[in-house]
Amino acid sequence: YQVVAPYNIDSYPLAADHPRRADFEGESVSPDLRHVPDWVDDSGDNRNMPFVIIDKTNAKVFVFHPEGRLRGSASVLLGLGRGDDSVPGIGKRAMSDMRPEERITPAGRFVASLGRNFHGKNILWVDYTAAISLHPVVTNNPEERRLQRLATPTPLDKRISYGCINVPKKFYKSVVRPAFTGTNGIVYVLPETRSIREVFAMYDVDENEQQPKAIQTSARKRRTRSGDICGDRSNRKISKVLPVLQPAP
């Protein structure tokens, strides 16, 4: 399959000198969760591309427009295993060889793009090497009760996949796919076993606002070069034609 042309890191403008914050459109979220999209929007770390926040702790996904306005949110199904790092070589192994504790949705910053899986179905590739994607919920095994799990309010019910991020089909069609059509984007998967600042080289927008203007500007310009520091764990040269892998559902 073909993916969109690579972006030029230096072609996107630096963030403005005044603080910017993401707009959750009235969605109620925790202060810790709010810090991440606020930092993304204020620093310009998404390089003017759409971005997604995956909150593994609460099993939620938030999709944002490039300027930081919420496009939509939904419950998600995540990897059965608790952890923030994929097992080396997991993307080349058969699903039948994956132990339950190895079925992890990895944390980090990923350059994502639309593609197709082995069966030709549209998916959003998140971590190609580990065969991790975001896609409509898989329902071919009734015993897993994935639709019912998506509907419950309990995050623990959402841990069932082999590592991929399952979202409601209508949400994928109406929110995810339009957001990434014709462009790459950034997916930030928040950690569950480490602190957010261990994974992302971020700053607190509120604290930065209280600093002298010269320091604020310096902090924004040090926002990281699209993953040099903040855990960009994807294939940066994502524009090349890649062989079709079958992501773990």
Side-chain angles (χ1 to χ4, degrees):
Y1 59 90
Q2 285 287 107
V3 296
V4 298
Y7 64 93
N8 183 344
I9 292 174
D10 296 317
S11 67
Y12 291 92
L14 291 174
D17 287 339
H18 58 278
R20 296 175 54 182
R21 290 176 175 80
D23 183 0
F24 276 89
E25 297 285 341
E27 179 97 17
S28 178
V29 297
S30 68
D32 286 342
L33 173 59
R34 181 175 290 275
H35 284 324
V36 179
D38 280 353
W39 159 70
V40 171
D41 194 38
D42 188 63
S43 67
D45 186 76
N46 62 317
R47 302 304 193 259
N48 201 33
M49 293 185 288
F51 65 97
V52 175
I53 306 290
I54 304 293
D55 178 6
K56 290 204 292 181
T57 300
N58 296 300
K60 291 272 289 187
V61 58
F62 301 87
V63 180
F64 291 87
H65 291 275
E67 72 277 11
R69 180 167 54 88
L70 184 67
R71 187 164 190 150
S73 64
S75 294
V76 296
L77 300 181
L78 300 164
L80 177 64
R82 177 177 168 81
D84 293 317
D85 298 289
S86 294
V87 175
I90 196 72
K92 297 180 180 179
R93 288 165 52 184
M95 288 187 291
S96 58
D97 292 336
M98 297 171 62
R99 297 191 297 270
E101 65 272 17
E102 295 178 325
R103 301 171 187 177
I104 293 171
T105 302
R109 179 192 188 278
F110 303 90
V111 180
S113 68
L114 293 174
R116 295 191 180 275
N117 65 10
F118 184 76
H119 300 289
K121 294 184 178 180
N122 188 278
I123 61 174
L124 180 70
W125 279 112
V126 177
D127 186 348
Y128 185 82
T129 303
I132 299 297
S133 68
L134 184 154
H135 56 69
V137 59
V138 175
T139 58
N140 54 9
N141 184 350
E143 293 182 358
E144 292 181 338
R145 304 175 71 246
R146 293 199 181 196
L147 291 178
Q148 292 88 337
R149 289 174 181 273
L150 272 176
T152 73
T154 308
L156 188 60
D157 291 339
K158 311 295 196 298
R159 308 308 288 260
I160 187 63
S161 83
Y162 283 75
C164 281
I165 303 154
N166 288 215
V167 300
K169 292 183 179 180
K170 289 184 178 180
F171 181 80
Y172 185 86
K173 182 178 180 180
S174 63
V175 178
V176 177
R177 191 164 65 187
F180 284 82
T181 296
T183 181
N184 287 340
I186 307 296
V187 174
Y188 300 88
V189 182
L190 307 189
E192 59 184 343
T193 61
R194 301 197 297 273
S195 72
I196 291 176
R197 295 200 184 196
E198 285 183 86
V199 178
F200 307 110
M202 56 180 287
Y203 57 81
D204 187 301
V205 175
D206 293 326
E207 292 178 359
N208 190 54
E209 184 179 8
Q210 299 172 9
Q211 301 295 327
K213 186 174 181 180
I215 297 178
Q216 291 181 28
T217 302
S218 175
R220 292 190 182 97
K221 288 183 178 180
R222 292 198 313 270
R223 62 182 182 221
T224 74
R225 293 180 58 80
S226 194
D228 290 348
I229 302 174
C230 71
D232 189 342
R233 304 172 60 176
S234 67
N235 184 347
R236 295 270 306 278
K237 297 180 180 178
I238 201 166
S239 65
K240 65 182 181 180
V241 178
L242 297 171
V244 176
L245 291 182
Q246 174 61 14

